[in-house]
Amino acid sequence: MIRRLVKFLIIFSVFFFNVIGLKAQDISIELGPDKIALNQAFTITVKVEGETLKSYDKFPDINGLVKRGTSSSSSTNIFNGQVTRSQSITQSYIPEKEGVINIPAFSINVNGKVISSSGKKVEVGPAKQQNQNRRYDPFGSDPFEDFFGRRNEPEEFVDLKEDAFFALTTDKDEIYVGEGVNTTLAFYVSNENRAPLQFHDLTNQLTKILKEIRPNNVWEENFNIENIAGEPVNLGGKRYTVYKIYQATFFPLGDEDIEFPKVGLEMIKYQVAKSRSFFGQNRKESFKTFYSKPKTVKVNPLPDHPLKDQVSVGDYKLSEDINSTELNTGESFQYEFDIRGSGNISGIAEPQVKNKKELEIYSPNVSENITRSGVSVRGSKAFRYYMIPKEPGEYDLSDYFQFIFFNTRTEKYDTLKPNYQIKIKGESMANVNIEQASSDGLFYDRIVDASNELQSHQTTEIWKWVFNIFLVVAFSVSLFILLKKS
């Protein structure tokens, strides 16, 4: 008995210090034993150390084994002031018959990383008879089972009521054609929630959801959420953490209402062990789908206007720049008409331009800058014009450029015009053009002075003969070499 007690203490000490001394090993896959009985389970465990288990793919389907649920566990170790956390999720399989089962190589995406296993062969033997009348023996074959509680006894799990919801929200319930409506898909978890919840397979789920909610006949500006981080919000005096999974602004191109249907997001919801043990599984995985409510955004046509089907829509202001306001005729200059504000920046149309004889205006170079943040799409679209004055005088650029748009803030049509005035000195370019045309002369005027002497092509003919002779000589040499070799 003393020898058994010593053996037990040694085993316990080794186990205890190994647990305390664990270090982060990132993500790993552990396979069950090589041999099991027909009434025993084979397991595949994904273990994450040093980080939180956020997401993982479904476990593989295996011929000869039937899935029988999952369970999870977590632990926190502190050694020399360093905290090491580990989590694991275990999939159980039940064999269908005796024999050898091949576990093929497989991969699982865990927290965005692909983890692979080479697989193995598992031998399934006859069912083992389980002893239902075991007595407590602290020095028996497995001292850990009896000292800390029998691990074969089934755990009891309870399903806690969650305090969370999934929602599709918009910043406006009514908009005009061309006006943006910011749309957000998010999962809300109350600070009072006690049910363990977790995202899973979010990429595939989101792809299917977006196929259902994306409206037709709209321009979309996607906010491209890459990292899902919780943000505190207050709803009706109650505090929540909101996890945004998708956000975009939709700009309707027609006056059809935008209909968002009801969509579902499946979450992992863990059941919690009724009585927790040191070695037992404290959580059991289950799934629950949370549904958003359908929503309609009313789209109103723009008020009557001769250009209502052509104007841009948004809340814009003009920022302009010019490299010179005092020039001479024929001296080029640049002018920038920069439209800034919130709206469909990509859809901003070019300003209307009146090209008169006293000012030659060339097509603009266009550049845009778009910022997607908060609940709006903001930015600028700049039109850079290259111009040449032809006549002396003073000119208001507002007579040459204007940008008409529907202002969503005032709900009225508005016009942006330049404030710059330019002063031109020098001679009229019209006289210069006439003089240049006169000096160049017309074709029929110049034909009198043109030479009518025939040009000789003898030199060209000589080079043709030289080239032909070269080809004949090269062909003859090649033919001679081939005949000699044969």
Side-chain angles (χ1 to χ4, degrees):
M1 181 173 292
I2 293 176
R3 291 178 61 188
R4 287 187 178 181
L5 180 59
V6 171
K7 180 181 178 181
F8 165 75
L9 292 175
I10 292 174
I11 294 174
F12 178 81
S13 300
V14 171
F15 174 82
F16 180 80
F17 287 108
N18 280 341
V19 171
I20 294 298
L22 281 175
K23 295 183 179 179
Q25 297 178 0
D26 294 329
I27 305 173
S28 61
I29 296 177
E30 297 178 1
L31 302 182
D34 297 337
K35 295 182 180 181
I36 59 173
L38 186 60
N39 58 345
Q40 290 180 328
F42 178 79
T43 59
I44 297 178
T45 300
V46 171
K47 193 172 185 179
V48 176
E49 298 194 26
E51 60 178 298
T52 302
L53 179 59
K54 300 175 182 176
S55 63
Y56 59 90
D57 287 343
K58 292 183 179 179
F59 284 83
D61 295 321
I62 303 172
N63 292 332
L65 296 176
V66 179
K67 287 182 178 178
R68 282 292 183 268
T70 59
S71 58
S72 63
S73 64
S74 61
S75 65
T76 301
N77 299 313
I78 302 176
F79 182 67
N80 287 338
Q82 294 184 347
V83 179
T84 303
R85 297 180 176 86
S86 65
Q87 286 181 277
S88 64
I89 185 78
T90 300
Q91 174 70 59
S92 298
Y93 298 83
I94 299 297
E96 294 181 309
K97 59 182 180 179
E98 297 180 30
V100 177
I101 295 177
N102 180 42
I103 311 294
F106 63 92
S107 298
I108 298 180
N109 191 312
V110 183
N111 287 359
K113 302 175 184 177
V114 177
I115 310 300
S116 300
S117 172
S118 58
K120 65 188 299 185
K121 292 187 181 296
V122 177
E123 182 180 342
V124 180
K128 287 187 177 181
Q129 184 177 1
Q130 296 181 352
N131 186 0
Q132 302 296 331
N133 298 314
R134 293 179 59 190
R135 293 184 179 180
Y136 172 73
D137 181 2
F139 308 109
S141 59
D142 189 353
F144 289 99
E145 282 192 15
D146 296 320
F147 189 83
F148 291 103
R150 299 177 184 177
R151 292 190 290 176
N152 289 332
E153 294 180 357
E155 295 274 10
E156 279 191 71
F157 294 91
V158 293
D159 190 4
L160 299 178
K161 176 65 177 174
E162 72 284 347
D163 190 355
F165 64 93
F166 181 51
L168 182 149
T169 57
T170 60
D171 64 331
K172 304 167 189 172
D173 295 326
E174 191 171 344
I175 58 176
Y176 285 98
V177 173
E179 182 181 2
V181 56
N182 186 271
T183 306
T184 304
L185 275 171
F187 193 74
Y188 295 77
V189 181
S190 166
N191 289 9
E192 300 173 4
N193 175 68
R194 294 295 175 266
L197 299 166
Q198 183 175 300
F199 292 108
H200 89 101
D201 196 21
L202 193 55
T203 300
N204 291 329
Q205 286 199 77
L206 189 56
T207 300
K208 295 177 182 178
I209 290 173
L210 295 185
K211 286 181 180 179
E212 297 183 48
I213 70 165
R214 273 196 175 113
N216 296 320
N217 198 30
V218 299
W219 178 272
E220 176 186 356
E221 288 288 351
N222 194 324
F223 282 49
N224 295 319
I225 296 175
E226 296 180 354
N227 298 315
I228 300 177
E231 301 174 12
V233 295
N234 193 303
L235 301 177
K238 190 173 182 178
R239 289 185 295 175
Y240 287 83
T241 299
V242 58
Y243 299 90
K244 295 179 182 178
I245 63 173
Y246 171 78
Q247 188 174 11
T249 297
F250 296 119
F251 299 91
L253 305 178
D255 58 4
E256 300 89 359
D257 291 347
I258 298 178
E259 303 280 352
F260 295 108
K262 168 185 175 182
V263 289
L265 177 69
E266 187 179 64
M267 299 283 292
I268 297 175
K269 180 184 177 184
Y270 293 99
Q271 295 178 334
V272 181
K274 193 171 183 179
S275 56
R276 302 192 176 192
S277 62
F278 186 78
F279 288 102
Q281 302 294 346
N282 293 323
R283 300 193 302 181
K284 185 172 73 173
E285 182 183 85
S286 62
F287 295 89
K288 178 168 182 175
T289 302
F290 295 80
Y291 291 95
S292 66
K293 294 180 180 179
K295 185 176 180 60
T296 300
V297 176
K298 182 174 178 54
V299 180
N300 297 315
L302 295 178
D304 288 337
H305 188 278
L307 300 175
K308 80 169 189 175
D309 295 328
Q310 303 173 32
V311 299
S312 300
V313 178
D315 185 6
Y316 301 120
K317 294 185 180 300
L318 175 62
S319 175
E320 52 182 338
D321 189 28
I322 193 169
N323 65 342
S324 179
T325 57
E326 296 184 3
L327 307 104
N328 295 318
T329 54
E331 183 180 355
S332 65
F333 69 100
Q334 291 183 5
Y335 170 68
E336 180 173 293
F337 194 101
D338 192 357
I339 302 168
R340 296 173 174 267
S342 61
N344 185 3
I345 305 299
S346 298
I348 291 178
E350 183 180 342
Q352 294 179 341
V353 179
K354 295 180 181 179
N355 205 335
K356 301 179 181 180
K357 64 178 182 179
E358 66 271 9
L359 194 61
E360 188 172 354
I361 304 173
Y362 294 88
S363 297
N365 294 322
V366 183
S367 63
E368 65 181 41
N369 179 43
I370 301 176
T371 302
R372 305 167 188 86
S373 62
V375 294
S376 66
V377 176
R378 303 186 63 84
S380 63
K381 194 165 189 176
F383 300 87
R384 296 178 183 88
Y385 293 91
Y386 174 82
M387 294 183 281
I388 300 177
K390 299 290 187 178
E391 299 291 336
E394 295 186 1
Y395 304 103
D396 288 327
L397 291 185
S398 59
D399 295 332
Y400 298 86
F401 299 92
Q402 66 175 8
F403 176 74
I404 301 173
F405 70 102
F406 182 78
N407 194 322
T408 54
R409 178 173 50 82
T410 61
E411 298 186 349
K412 294 179 181 179
Y413 289 94
D414 203 347
T415 304
L416 300 179
K417 290 185 177 183
N419 292 315
Y420 279 113
Q421 185 182 69
I422 58 174
K423 295 180 180 180
I424 308 300
K425 298 178 180 180
E427 298 293 329
S428 171
M429 294 292 291
N431 297 331
V432 174
N433 292 337
I434 293 173
E435 291 175 1
Q436 182 178 359
S438 300
S439 63
D440 291 343
L442 298 175
F443 170 76
Y444 292 105
D445 295 331
R446 297 196 307 272
I447 197 170
V448 177
D449 301 325
S451 174
N452 60 356
E453 183 180 350
L454 295 175
Q455 299 293 324
S456 173
H457 295 285
Q458 185 176 359
T459 304
T460 303
E461 293 296 328
I462 292 174
W463 280 110
K464 286 183 179 179
W465 278 103
V466 171
F467 181 71
N468 289 334
I469 292 171
F470 172 77
L471 289 178
V472 172
V473 172
F475 177 76
S476 300
V477 172
S478 300
L479 182 62
F480 175 76
I481 294 173
L482 290 174
L483 291 174
K484 188 175 181 180
K485 286 184 177 180
S486 60

